[in-house]
Amino acid sequence: MGGSHMRSAAYGPVHGLLPADTTEDVRTRGAGVSQQIAVLPVGSFEQHGPYLPLATDTLVACAIARGIADAYPVHLLPPVTISCSHEHAAWPGTVSISAVTLHAVIRDIADSLRRSGVDTLVLVNGHGGNYVLGNAVQESSARGEKMALYPAPEDWETARERAGVVTSLLTDMHAGEIEASVLLHTHPELLRPGYETSDHVADDRRHLLTLGMPAYTDSGVIGRPSLASAEKGKELLTSLTDSFAPYFSLLTSEA
């Protein structure tokens, strides 16, 4: 296949995102903790402007989850790669499932883990539109089943300040300084030219759920990706790994 139908090798598939554990690895790691914890990255497959891949949220969630798995004795799961991206439906390539389906997937995964002896699940969310994940955690906790959602806004704020990210969390809504920085650090080969000149600010988004993203951006970008750097991306991930410590302590406590 030639001409315009050829996919550039520079933007080929990303390898190494799936955990390579064997069942013995999981058994050995679990023997040293009072409560076994699984970490599930939840991303999305949605537009991120003309320069970031559709899989950006999944790549970010995987990077955070991998940092946690490298620092704490947890069971790293493969990512959920399609979620609730309905506000991005106007852009080609975006794919969504319903909130009901995502909730059911999370519930099924948690049930399956418990049957194999892993009694706690942490959802590492990379997409802000996955509101239903909070409900899933609330319901599980009410049933006495340990589950957590990470990172919280406070964790992101700590990471933003530590990394020297200039843009506020309100302004840095989509494909902005944070996401571009994380990918510049973890997968710089996936950024297309143009993020340096694609800044767009739309802080008042009160009708986002009703109107979707097209009401606030033509490019799909809301944020300041021009301020991104690999150094900021590295510090963001380091901070998010460190901020997981109290979650680990809480989830492994006997109380």
Side-chain angles (χ1 to χ4, degrees), residues 169-255:
L169 294 181
L170 172 65
T171 298
D172 193 60
M173 186 260 185
H174 191 69
E177 185 177 2
I178 288 177
E179 290 184 322
S181 291
V182 171
L183 262 67
L184 280 170
H185 172 56
T186 57
H187 300 288
E189 74 281 2
L190 297 182
L191 271 78
R192 310 291 178 98
Y195 72 90
E196 308 91 339
T197 57
S198 295
D199 291 5
H200 176 71
V201 174
D203 284 351
D204 186 347
R205 304 184 297 271
R206 68 188 72 188
H207 303 300
L208 177 66
L209 297 181
T210 302
L211 300 176
M213 287 284 286
Y216 300 99
T217 173
D218 293 329
S219 66
V221 178
I222 297 179
R224 296 193 175 100
S226 68
L227 301 175
S229 72
E231 292 75 18
K232 291 177 181 177
K234 180 180 180 180
E235 284 302 313
L236 284 163
L237 293 176
T238 299
S239 177
L240 291 171
T241 298
D242 293 344
S243 290
F244 187 72
Y247 290 79
F248 185 78
S249 297
L250 174 66
L251 295 171
T252 55
S253 67
E254 297 293 343

Side-chain angles (χ1 to χ4, degrees), residues 45-50 54 85-95 174 211-222:
F45 201 71
E46 65 185 35
Q47 70 84 20
H48 275 76
L54 294 161
S85 301
H86 310 284
E87 70 272 30
H88 300 274
W91 279 271
T94 297
V95 183
H174 191 69
L211 300 176
M213 287 284 286
Y216 300 99
T217 173
D218 293 329
S219 66
V221 178
I222 297 179

Side-chain angles (χ1 to χ4, degrees), residues 118-131:
V118 180
D119 40 28
T120 303
L121 178 62
V122 176
L123 308 177
V124 175
N125 183 33
H127 172 49
N130 289 335
Y131 310 111

Side-chain angles (χ1 to χ4, degrees), residues 109-160:
I109 290 172
D111 289 346
S112 177
L113 285 165
R114 281 191 296 275
R115 288 194 294 271
S116 66
V118 180
D119 40 28
T120 303
L121 178 62
V122 176
L123 308 177
V124 175
N125 183 33
H127 172 49
N130 289 335
Y131 310 111
V132 71
L133 296 182
N135 299 123
V137 172
Q138 288 176 322
E139 294 165 13
S140 293
S141 299
R143 290 191 298 268
E145 302 161 359
K146 285 192 175 182
M147 188 180 290
L149 182 61
Y150 188 78
E154 294 85 354
D155 302 311
W156 276 116
E157 183 61 27
T158 297
R160 186 189 72 81

